[in-house]
Amino acid sequence: MAEPPRHVQDEIRERSHRAPSFQINRALTFSVRNSPFPCGLLELVNDTLVLRAMSSAATMTYPLLGLVDLDQAVDGKLGRDADLNFQEMKRRGVFAGEAVGAITRATVSRNGVTVVA
């Protein structure tokens, strides 16, 4: 998982104090989409994880999810190992603001392709 440079983190933190949350979400989504690194943005919606954004590097690096999967649930799409990771992240409050971040490793499968991510 890549972290933005310190000055970007400071700017996001500063803007979060003065801008409505929807602007922060827009900025975060823009940042993920335009990142030179493989990354994605998941959102928990009614206990279902939804893929909200992916970087171009992610679509080239991980062939299991693509732009067609945007705004779709990822639960159940990537195999048991991925689902167990998602459940653990939910349990630990990653999507409820109770964790700063998470690093996981899983063997994921889709359409006959298996990747260790």
Side-chain angles (χ1 to χ4, degrees), residues 74-93:
V74 295
D75 296 319
K77 283 188 177 177
L78 300 173
R80 187 179 188 316
D81 200 21
D83 286 340
L84 290 173
N85 273 289
F86 293 150
Q87 288 172 11
E88 185 65 14
M89 287 191 291
K90 290 177 195 177
R91 189 184 73 72
R92 291 184 181 234

Side-chain angles (χ1 to χ4, degrees), residues 44-60:
L44 188 62
V45 179
N46 299 323
D47 203 41
T48 299
L49 282 178
V50 175
L51 180 64
R52 290 297 187 203
M54 290 181 72
S55 66
S56 294
T59 60
M60 290 185 294

Side-chain angles (χ1 to χ4, degrees), residues 1-14 31 34-37:
M1 175 168 47
E3 276 192 43
R6 175 61 67 193
H7 72 280
V8 173
Q9 292 179 34
D10 292 342
E11 179 68 20
I12 289 172
R13 191 173 298 110
E14 181 184 324
S31 176
N34 293 285
S35 174
F37 305 104

Side-chain angles (χ1 to χ4, degrees), residues 54-117:
M54 290 181 72
S55 66
S56 294
T59 60
M60 290 185 294
T61 305
Y62 303 108
L64 303 181
L65 291 174
L67 298 178
V68 69
D69 296 301
L70 290 178
D71 296 322
Q72 303 295 317
V74 295
D75 296 319
K77 283 188 177 177
L78 300 173
R80 187 179 188 316
D81 200 21
D83 286 340
L84 290 173
N85 273 289
F86 293 150
Q87 288 172 11
E88 185 65 14
M89 287 191 291
K90 290 177 195 177
R91 189 184 73 72
R92 291 184 181 234
V94 168
F95 301 100
E98 297 173 18
V100 175
I103 298 174
T104 67
R105 190 159 214 60
T107 300
V108 294
S109 301
R110 187 174 185 195
N111 301 328
V113 176
T114 299
V115 175
V116 176

